[in-house]
Amino acid sequence: MPWKTRLRSTLTAGVALALVSAAPVARAAENPYERGPAPTTASIEASRGPYATAQTTVSSASVRGFGGGTIYYPTSTADGTFGAVAIAPGYTASQSSLSWLGPRLASQGFVVFIIDTLSRYDQPAARGDQLLAALDHLTTASSVRSRVDATRLGVMGHSMGGGGSLEAAKDRPTLQAAIPLTPWNTTKTWSTVQVPTLIVGAEDDSVASVSRHAEPFYTGLPATLDKAYLELAGASHYAPNSSNTTIAKYSISWLKRFIDDDTRYEQFLCPAPRSAAISEYRDTCPHS
């Protein structure tokens, strides 16, 4: 082979190798928050994700502004820090009513703090304040604070805790995501909320009917906001209190999309999902 031909072949192979080698670095630089393997329908419906998890109890005596709780987190630190979400229970309920969400979300690559409230009778505004206090504790004083990216945070909650997650989103626009689950709140308009919000209602909810709560909350959010409304077919107000694949898969997708900026999960949100488990879905796709 003439030397010029050999040189061209060597250079071509070298360039190809360099491009292949640089691809993962370029992808990581493009989105440093991306965690875990490429998602599939099976992976977001699974009871556990790719990360092994552990949990730690936070005593109410050791914190201020909320009633303690349980932190669920990925055990590996190989991927760096993780986004985090605080979750509040509903009226008269404790953290145990939502405990199934802890390991399920944490195993997908989040630090999850399910809290108890100061009083089981706290109203949504108080629950919103407590969600924010829990996030502050998680990022500055908790035993897992070094695992948390304090700039990538979200809130969730059930019933009055769901109403509380809307309050928290209104009060702290730097949050990355909010997911109210069968939410209850006397306030219906949330025109100042800037946090991407997925509202999950239940078709047969007799406590916080979708016509008086979840639907007005959705329409009361800004039209320009990244938002979605998912209504669980044939479900009651208490659907979030036990393991629910529909709640889990779309919560994971929403948190990944907006806390992790992971556009690999956009496919599960846009176009609007259709399923026998969903009686109605509204959105503002495509997401910004």
Side-chain angles (χ1 to χ4, degrees), residues 85-89 98 101 105 112-113 115 127 131 154-158 161-162 164-166 177-181 200 247-248 251-252 255:
V85 57
I87 307 177
L98 296 169
L101 272 170
L105 296 180
V112 182
F113 197 179
I115 69 169
R127 291 170 191 264
L131 281 168
V155 288
M156 296 177 65
H158 172 232
S165 68
L166 286 166
I179 306 178
L181 303 171
V200 178
I247 290 175
S251 294
I252 290 164
L255 297 175

Side-chain angles (χ1 to χ4, degrees), residues 14 36 47 70 107 109 111 125-126 131 136 149 171 204 214 222 241 257 270 274:
S47 60
T70 303
S107 69
V111 176
L131 281 168
D136 291 341
D149 181 346
D171 293 343
D204 295 339
N241 292 154
R257 175 62 182 81
C270 296
R274 297 288 181 259

Side-chain angles (χ1 to χ4, degrees), residues 2-132:
W3 71 271
K4 288 184 179 180
T5 303
R6 289 200 303 271
L7 179 60
R8 280 198 300 269
S9 299
T10 301
L11 288 173
T12 300
V15 169
L17 179 60
L19 289 173
V20 170
S21 300
V25 176
R27 184 169 180 80
E30 182 182 339
N31 181 12
Y33 310 117
E34 188 177 288
R35 298 290 182 269
T40 64
T41 298
S43 74
I44 62 171
E45 290 183 348
S47 60
R48 292 294 181 272
Y51 291 95
T53 66
Q55 63 189 70
T56 183
T57 300
V58 178
S59 167
S60 60
S62 66
V63 299
R64 297 183 63 183
F66 65 105
T70 303
I71 302 171
Y72 304 83
Y73 59 94
T75 56
S76 173
T77 58
D79 289 343
T81 56
F82 295 93
V85 57
I87 307 177
Y91 188 68
T92 75
S94 69
Q95 59 168 306
S96 63
S97 65
L98 296 169
S99 61
W100 69 275
L101 272 170
R104 193 152 185 172
L105 296 180
S107 69
Q108 295 285 348
F110 295 102
V111 176
V112 182
F113 197 179
I114 305 181
I115 69 169
D116 280 319
T117 48
L118 292 170
S119 165
R120 293 191 176 195
Y121 308 103
D122 284 331
Q123 297 297 297
R127 291 170 191 264
D129 290 341
Q130 291 174 62
L131 281 168
L132 296 180

